[in-house]
Amino acid sequence: QKEVEQNSGPLSVPEGAIASLNCTYSDRVSQSFFWYRQYSGKSPELIMSIYSNGDKEDGRFTAQLNKASQYVSLLIRDSQPSDSATYLCAVNIGGGSYIPTFGRGTSLIVHP
Amino acid sequence: GAVVSQHPSRVICKSGTSVKIECRSLDFQATTMFWYRQFPKQSLMLMATSNEGSKATYEQGVEKDKFLINHASLTLSTLTVTSAHPEDSSFYICSARASGGAFNEQFFGPGTRLTVL
């Protein structure tokens, strides 16, 4: 079964620190990777997408992809209490229909 | 851009009634729409994938006769929970994707919280 794995956490970091969220996936032919943020009681919100090996930066967020290691991560710099949420990693599994497969999510707590 | 709406946002109904949830892509054409269910403190569970003009593809364990999905246009998909029971109470979320390509992002609606008494 094709899977996306995330540590459920919670990951607790102090305000201003860098939060590092990790995700591994099992399907070697996966081509597209996404990070979503979900606040409690709300639906997921797209933060970043990444398709090529390396880093992709958008404001305080950096996504990192290593296809050889089947690993994708999200770094949040200068973490704020408002970043406290569950972060979902999603991978479009190949095979034609590209059904998105989600990890269980990592709970992030940024404390003042 | 990439706004997806859902209606209603919240519904409370009696056991045995049917509930229809609408999902609309407001500023793009959605070739594919996905329906998810999320129980409290649990992960998203994909229920079905619908492509415009085709029958929906349901995930294993999801009853297609209970959860009726219609994707009649490129901007609208509906999920009807037929003869709802208390165990169907959950947070139902749709998402929409512009095309079936591997690199296209999906955007989520705000969700519908269903409570069956």
Side-chain angles (χ1 to χ4, degrees):
Chain A
Q1 184 171 352
K2 296 175 176 146
E3 293 181 344
V4 177
E5 300 284 345
Q6 291 181 261
N7 187 321
S8 62
L11 172 66
S12 182
V13 301
E15 183 174 357
I18 296 175
S20 177
L21 304 159
N22 304 316
C23 172
T24 59
Y25 59 94
S26 61
D27 182 19
R28 287 196 166 272
V29 300
S30 298
Q31 299 179 58
S32 48
F33 308 86
F34 308 90
W35 282 99
Y36 290 84
R37 176 175 62 197
Q38 186 176 24
Y39 291 112
S40 181
K42 303 293 186 182
S43 66
E45 168 193 11
L46 180 68
I47 299 176
M48 291 191 71
S49 57
I50 186 167
Y51 311 118
S52 305
N53 279 326
D55 294 1
K56 179 181 178 183
E57 187 175 317
D58 184 0
R60 294 187 296 115
F61 299 99
T62 299
Q64 299 175 318
L65 175 61
N66 184 326
K67 290 187 179 181
S69 300
Q70 295 175 237
Y71 178 96
V72 58
S73 65
L74 179 70
L75 301 179
I76 306 174
R77 290 182 299 281
D78 188 25
S79 296
Q80 301 296 310
S82 58
D83 295 326
S84 299
T86 296
Y87 289 81
L88 302 169
C89 171
V91 178
N92 274 3
I93 303 296
S97 56
Y98 303 110
I99 301 298
T101 300
F102 282 82
R104 289 183 170 274
T106 298
S107 175
L108 172 66
I109 299 172
V110 181
H111 53 87
Chain B
V3 178
V4 178
S5 70
Q6 255 183 270
H7 178 80
S9 59
R10 185 179 296 269
V11 60
I12 300 172
C13 67
K14 292 182 179 179
S15 185
T17 58
S18 294
V19 175
K20 179 186 278 190
I21 302 170
E22 289 188 350
C23 177
R24 292 181 186 273
S25 57
L26 299 184
D27 53 0
F28 68 101
Q29 294 188 324
T31 304
T32 305
M33 287 186 171
F34 303 94
W35 287 95
Y36 295 85
R37 181 167 54 181
Q38 189 173 38
F39 293 105
K41 299 195 183 302
Q42 293 192 22
S43 58
L44 283 174
M45 289 175 44
L46 179 64
M47 300 174 67
T49 302
S50 76
N51 293 296
E52 185 265 340
S54 303
K55 288 185 179 180
T57 301
Y58 290 80
E59 294 299 301
Q60 191 172 8
V62 178
E63 301 173 58
K64 63 181 181 180
D65 293 332
K66 181 171 182 63
F67 299 99
L68 301 178
I69 292 173
N70 184 282
H71 192 163
S73 77
L74 285 171
T75 58
L76 173 65
S77 177
T78 60
L79 167 68
T80 301
V81 183
T82 61
S83 186
H85 289 96
E87 59 266 29
D88 298 321
S89 298
S90 188
F91 190 40
Y92 291 85
I93 316 172
C94 73
S95 71
R97 189 169 69 187
S99 78
F103 304 106
N104 285 296
E105 301 148 336
Q106 59 172 323
F107 298 93
F108 285 86
T112 297
R113 195 162 302 280
L114 171 64
T115 302
V116 184
L117 302 175

